[in-house]
Amino acid sequence: MKTVLDVNLYDIKEVAELLGVSKSTVHNYLKFDRLEAQKIGGKLYCTEESIKAFLNGNSKISNAKS
């Protein structure tokens, strides 16, 4: 895990380990917009928020504040 500006970021390998799936499965989640990631320095990272949204069944994260 890497923290940037108080945001926890997980690389694909870490996300796969957290979810108990293969890296290939994580790439499929990304390909079919079930999980969001950002490319930083040539490497894909998922935020903790995007992983939680995925686990809650939400494929897109709402950036709107209540």
Side-chain angles (χ1 to χ4, degrees):
M1 178 183 64
K2 175 183 221 170
T3 302
V4 177
L5 298 174
D6 295 325
V7 176
N8 293 329
L9 302 171
Y10 297 84
D11 65 24
I12 300 304
K13 180 181 177 185
E14 292 169 322
V15 174
E17 289 172 1
L18 283 170
L19 299 178
V21 297
S22 68
K23 292 190 304 184
S24 181
T25 298
V26 173
H27 282 289
N28 282 331
Y29 292 157
L30 295 169
K31 180 179 177 180
F32 294 106
D33 292 329
R34 295 188 59 206
L35 183 63
E36 292 183 351
Q38 297 296 319
K39 195 174 240 185
I40 302 171
K43 197 170 181 181
L44 286 171
Y45 291 94
C46 294
T47 64
E48 187 171 330
E49 183 179 337
S50 69
I51 296 167
K52 286 180 182 179
F54 172 79
L55 291 172
N56 287 323
N58 303 321
S59 58
K60 294 292 179 186
I61 300 168
S62 172
N63 289 328
K65 303 225 177 188
S66 303

